[in-house]
C-alpha cells in the first residue's frame, strides 16, 4: 500500500480517538508484511497515566492477533509540524525491528523515517544480556 493511503487510514482511525482531557487526537495505521492493516487511536482515562497512545494500540492489536513483522506505520495528528511519537511508543516499535514510520499532520505534511532513526540505541534484552 502507498504511504498516502496508509495516512488516510490513520486519519480515519483518528476520528475514534477518545481524548476528552487533552483534546489531542492521534490516529495510527500499521501495515504488516503479510499485507494486513491494524489501526489505533489514543484512549485516555480519568486517571491520566492510564492513557494509551494510538501507535501502541495499533501495534498491540496487531501483535495480539499473531503479527510480528511490520512494513510501515503511519501516525497522524493535528500538529503544526508532523507528529512526534513519544519515547514509550518508540521503544515498543523497536521491539519489532526497523520498519518504516510515516509521520504526518492533518494538513498534509509528511515525513518518512524509520524506527532506528526515531530511537537510536533502543534497549534490546535479546541483544544486551550475557
Ligand atoms: N499521543 C499519542 O497517541 N501519540 C503520540 O505520538 C503522542 C501522544 C496521545 C497521548 C495522549 O492521549 C495525548 O496524545 C496527549 O499527549
Amino acid at each position: 500500500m502507498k504511504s498516502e493511503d496508509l495516512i488516510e487510514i490513520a486519519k480515519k482511525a483518528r476520528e475514534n480517538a477518545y481524548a476528552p482531557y487533552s483534546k489531542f487526537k492521534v490516529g495510527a495505521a500499521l501495515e504488516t508484511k503479510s499485507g494486513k492493516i491494524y489501526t489505533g487511536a489514543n484512549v485516555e482515562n480519568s486517571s491520566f497515566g492510564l492513557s494509551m497512545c494510538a501507535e501502541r494500540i495499533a501495534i498491540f492489536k496487531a501483535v495480539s492477533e499473531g503479527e510480528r513483522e511490520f512494513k510501515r506505520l503511519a501516525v497522524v495528528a493535528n500538529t503544526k509540524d508532523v507528529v512526534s511519537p513519544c519515547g514509550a511508543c518508540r521503544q515498543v516499535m523497536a521491539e519489532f525491528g526497523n520498519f518504516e514510520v510515516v509521520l504526518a499532520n492533518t494538513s498534509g505534511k509528511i515525513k518518512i523515517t524509520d524506527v532506528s532513526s526515531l530511537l537510536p540505541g533502543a534497549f534490546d534484552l535479546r541483544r544486551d544480556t550475557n
Side-chain angles (χ1 to χ4, degrees):
M1 170 178 290
K2 287 193 294 178
S3 298
E4 292 75 19
D5 297 330
L6 201 63
I7 290 170
E8 277 314 304
I9 294 170
K11 259 190 198 173
K12 195 88 193 139
R14 181 177 168 270
E15 291 169 17
N16 289 327
Y18 176 74
Y21 307 108
S22 72
K23 320 272 189 220
F24 185 73
K25 296 182 167 200
V26 186
L30 178 65
E31 183 179 10
T32 66
K33 282 194 181 161
S34 59
K36 288 192 192 145
I37 310 289
Y38 293 85
T39 60
N42 53 326
V43 179
E44 298 185 346
N45 192 274
S46 283
S47 179
F48 293 172
L50 300 182
S51 301
M52 183 52 65
C53 294
E55 298 92 318
R56 270 178 285 165
I57 289 181
I59 293 169
F60 291 162
K61 279 169 73 176
V63 172
S64 63
E65 294 294 322
E67 303 288 352
R68 296 291 186 271
E69 295 195 307
F70 305 133
K71 187 173 179 201
R72 180 180 287 139
L73 171 69
V75 192
V76 183
N78 184 21
T79 36
K80 201 180 284 177
D81 203 337
V82 298
V83 63
S84 180
C86 81
C89 287
R90 293 175 193 216
Q91 178 67 37
V92 168
M93 290 175 203
E95 184 70 22
F96 300 99
N98 186 27
F99 50 91
E100 188 174 299
V101 182
V102 183
L103 305 173
N105 67 12
T106 50
S107 0
K109 202 162 184 182
I110 295 170
K111 182 185 175 188
I112 296 178
T113 182
D114 61 22
V115 175
S116 44
S117 305
L118 286 171
L119 187 62
F123 177 63
D124 188 341
L125 196 59
R126 295 160 296 195
R127 186 198 56 210
D128 294 336
T129 43
N130 63 48

